[in-house]
Amino acid sequence: MLKKTARFLKYLFLTIVSLISVFPLVWMIIAATNKSADVTKGTILPGGYFLENFRSLMNSDLQYLTAFKNSMVIGLVTTVLAMIVSSAAGYAFVVYKSKNRERVFNIILISMMVPFAALMVPLFRLFSKFRNLGPLKLIALNTPMAVIIIAIATAFLIFFFRQNTRTFPKELIEAARIDGLGEFQIFGRIFIPTMKSTYAAAIVTTFMTSWNNYLWPLIALQSPEKRTLPLVISAMGSSYTPDYGMIMVAVVLATVPTALLFFFMQKQFVAGMTGSVKG
């Protein structure tokens, strides 16, 4: 009897926590179907104004579709480059030994303790000087690369790949070297396919971080046509009379790419976060 009661209380607790966790998402979808006045009142019943709110969003001068495209481009390019650079760095920290390897890695870890707010002014001054430096103007302020380049080799990703590379069978590397494969071939043809769960977890984390990034794009992207989704949605809420129905539609649409990515890769994400190696 005690076991049944304990099990009932456990499932009751988990049910309540699950409902509390999923309620904001459900309310967001419901709010997208209501008028702004109904959203303000806090209604929890679906309405019939989704298409009207959607048309208002598309017809507004906020350039939502342009911002969606900008976020998608920045998110995809950042993810691809981060997987190449950060995974190669994490792999190198484990496979190649040197006297200063641990010192360099410790410096990278220490950089995680520096808040980004302390880096904003130096980064702004640095990137503002690239406009007049020939090829470097491609990463100057008000360009997508100004947002991308600072996210392709983060301390967290390097640490994450380093820790997971420790589970990689070193015998495979030795066997590949005996077979005559070069170091780049070993990395591309053996390491990457074997560590696909680790890459899946890193892809989900990196893309979601880039997609939701707000502070640095707010500083670096100064033209309206260069803005990303978080900036546009923030601008919607800061207007004199915000249309909350339209804002909720914008938020729902902005949530779709990251939700789909997570749902399609959730098994690999869990395996990668637990350090599993999949052949």
Side-chain angles (χ1 to χ4, degrees):
M1 185 66 180
L2 291 176
K3 290 184 178 179
K4 291 183 178 180
T5 303
R7 181 179 299 177
F8 171 78
L9 292 176
K10 180 177 68 174
Y11 283 111
L12 178 63
F13 173 76
L14 292 176
T15 301
I16 294 173
V17 172
S18 300
L19 291 175
I20 293 174
S21 300
V22 77
F23 176 76
L25 177 63
V26 174
W27 184 84
M28 177 182 70
I29 297 174
I30 292 175
T33 66
N34 286 289
K35 296 186 295 184
S36 181
D38 295 329
V39 176
T40 306
K41 293 177 183 177
T43 181
I44 56 174
L45 297 177
Y49 292 89
F50 180 84
L51 292 179
E52 182 178 333
N53 293 333
F54 179 79
R55 283 192 292 266
S56 298
L57 177 64
M58 294 297 106
N59 295 331
S60 67
D61 58 355
L62 294 168
Q63 299 179 319
Y64 184 84
L65 291 179
T66 300
F68 195 98
K69 183 192 71 173
N70 293 338
S71 289
M72 185 63 68
V73 170
I74 291 175
L76 292 176
V77 175
T78 299
T79 302
V80 172
L81 294 180
M83 292 307 101
I84 297 172
V85 176
S86 296
S87 65
Y91 173 83
F93 273 118
V94 175
V95 175
Y96 304 111
K97 298 180 180 180
S98 66
K99 293 181 179 180
N100 296 320
R101 180 181 65 173
E102 294 303 321
R103 294 179 182 176
V104 174
F105 184 72
N106 288 336
I107 292 174
I108 293 175
L109 288 183
I110 291 174
S111 69
M112 295 177 67
M113 304 178 188
V114 180
F116 183 76
L119 302 176
M120 289 190 299
V121 174
L123 285 173
F124 180 83
R125 290 174 60 87
L126 175 65
F127 281 89
S128 63
K129 295 179 180 179
F130 290 158
R131 294 176 179 174
N132 303 319
L133 295 180
L136 289 179
K137 66 182 181 181
L138 295 175
I139 59 174
L141 290 178
N142 206 33
T143 64
M145 286 304 299
V147 178
I148 293 169
I149 196 168
I150 67 170
I152 63 177
T154 63
F156 169 77
L157 275 182
I158 295 173
F159 171 78
F160 178 72
F161 276 108
R162 176 183 180 268
Q163 295 304 109
N164 281 275
T165 302
R166 288 183 167 183
T167 67
F168 183 73
K170 306 304 185 296
E171 297 81 8
L172 291 178
I173 298 177
E174 299 300 329
R177 287 171 177 170
I178 293 173
D179 290 340
L181 291 181
E183 297 301 318
F184 287 104
Q185 291 176 312
I186 295 173
F187 179 76
R189 295 169 57 180
I190 297 178
F191 177 78
I192 293 178
T194 305
M195 303 295 290
K196 59 185 180 181
S197 295
T198 300
Y199 277 91
I203 286 171
V204 172
T205 303
T206 304
F207 183 82
M208 292 180 72
T209 301
S210 175
W211 187 263
N212 297 319
N213 191 12
Y214 174 77
L215 189 55
W216 178 241
L218 176 65
I219 298 171
L221 303 176
Q222 302 163 348
S223 300
E225 67 275 6
K226 299 291 181 66
R227 293 185 301 181
T228 56
L229 280 179
L231 304 184
V232 170
I233 293 174
S234 175
M236 293 179 185
S238 61
S239 62
Y240 185 71
T241 54
D243 186 341
Y244 292 108
M246 184 180 71
I247 293 175
M248 289 299 105
V249 171
V251 174
V252 168
L253 295 178
T255 307
V256 170
T258 53
L260 290 178
L261 178 65
F262 179 78
F263 285 133
F264 279 119
M265 303 183 70
Q266 58 181 323
K267 291 183 179 179
Q268 294 86 347
F269 175 80
V270 173
M273 295 303 291
T274 55
S276 301
V277 177
K278 299 293 183 181

